[in-house]
Amino acid sequence: MIIEGLKLGLLYTVVMWLDGRVLSWSCLMRPIVMAPLVGLVLGDFQTGILMGAALESIYMGISSIGGATPADPHTAAIITTAFAILTNAEIETALALSIPIGTVMASFNSMCAPIWAGLAPVLTKMISNGKVKKFVTSAHVLTIVSIMVPGLACFAAVAFGVEGLETFLAMMPEWVMVGLSASSSMMMAVGFAILTSMIWSKEAGYFFFLGYVLVKYLNMDILAIAII
């Protein structure tokens, strides 16, 4: 899966460069955008859309505040969507793996952060000495490297980790897989709960319960409810 890994590593690098650097903070890195792009690259757009919607449900209450990120939704979306597509795994299984993968990648990014921060005095010294062109060049190079490192991690995870993960899960007993499927459903509920806890108010609560009733008991679709 070297070729697929290269494609997705490049996808991460390009989207990360656009998001927050070229197009300002446009949320291109959110799972609801990233997962369909992975599906498009790997030739299974439908699975990409389904994974994107489900992963966004899990991660939509999680945002990077300052430097603290409990889990990395960007790389989790890439790796788990690739896993679902390349191994024909159940979407529920891939979703259950998203939090562990996202947590590992967040830890990896945190370990890299002191390295990038440690170069700040060098850049400051360039400015103090009036070496503006050298500073600009160095800043651009540092930006590119800091984006490429997680991109390389995505490449390695897809190219060398997907098949191993598939083999590992194939060895698991049936009750473990049932548990993974159940936990993926619970994670979506937790994602909604996290988001709801941030915006909850008495006024919003009326719409929350009204929307629930309209969906579950009157079988109305989302567009109609949004119009109401």
Side-chain angles (χ1 to χ4, degrees):
M1 299 183 180
I2 300 292
I3 300 301
E4 289 81 1
L6 285 172
K7 289 179 180 178
L8 297 182
L10 180 61
L11 174 67
Y12 177 93
T13 303
V14 171
V15 175
M16 191 69 174
W17 174 259
L18 292 173
D19 191 63
R21 290 171 175 83
V22 176
L23 298 177
S24 187
W25 189 43
S26 55
C27 296
L28 293 178
M29 294 299 294
R30 297 301 302 176
I32 200 168
V33 177
M34 184 58 73
L37 290 177
V38 172
L40 192 62
V41 169
L42 297 181
D44 190 348
F45 192 47
Q46 181 177 356
T47 299
I49 291 175
L50 293 173
M51 285 292 296
L55 286 167
E56 190 66 33
S57 299
I58 296 171
Y59 282 102
M60 64 182 173
I62 298 176
S63 182
S64 177
I65 306 300
T69 304
D72 183 355
H74 326 316
T75 49
I78 293 176
I79 296 170
T80 54
T81 304
F83 171 73
I85 294 174
L86 295 175
T87 66
N88 294 316
E90 295 288 337
I91 290 179
E92 290 80 7
T93 302
L95 292 176
L97 297 172
S98 65
I99 292 294
I101 291 174
T103 303
V104 170
M105 292 305 301
S107 300
F108 174 77
N109 292 333
S110 297
M111 288 189 292
C112 292
I115 299 175
W116 315 135
L119 297 174
V122 178
L123 298 174
T124 303
K125 188 175 181 180
M126 292 179 188
I127 288 294
S128 300
N129 295 333
K131 299 177 180 178
V132 178
K133 289 184 179 180
K134 187 176 181 180
F135 166 81
V136 172
T137 302
S138 300
H140 282 308
V141 171
L142 178 60
T143 300
I144 293 171
V145 171
S146 66
I147 294 173
M148 288 184 65
V149 169
L152 290 172
C154 284
F155 157 72
V158 174
F160 306 111
V162 166
E163 288 185 341
L165 186 58
E166 181 185 20
T167 302
F168 174 75
L169 290 176
M171 297 168 57
M172 293 292 100
E174 180 66 22
W175 61 269
V176 172
M177 303 309 295
V178 172
L180 285 176
S181 178
S183 66
S184 68
S185 299
M186 289 190 291
M187 285 193 299
M188 282 188 272
V190 170
F192 274 103
I194 293 173
L195 181 65
T196 304
S197 67
M198 296 177 183
I199 64 173
W200 185 262
S201 67
K202 183 173 65 175
E203 291 76 14
Y206 300 137
F207 293 97
F208 180 85
F209 289 108
L210 176 61
Y212 180 83
V213 170
L214 293 177
V215 170
K216 296 300 292 183
Y217 294 99
L218 298 182
N219 295 319
M220 296 181 65
D221 58 36
I222 300 299
L223 180 58
I225 295 172
I227 293 172
I228 292 174

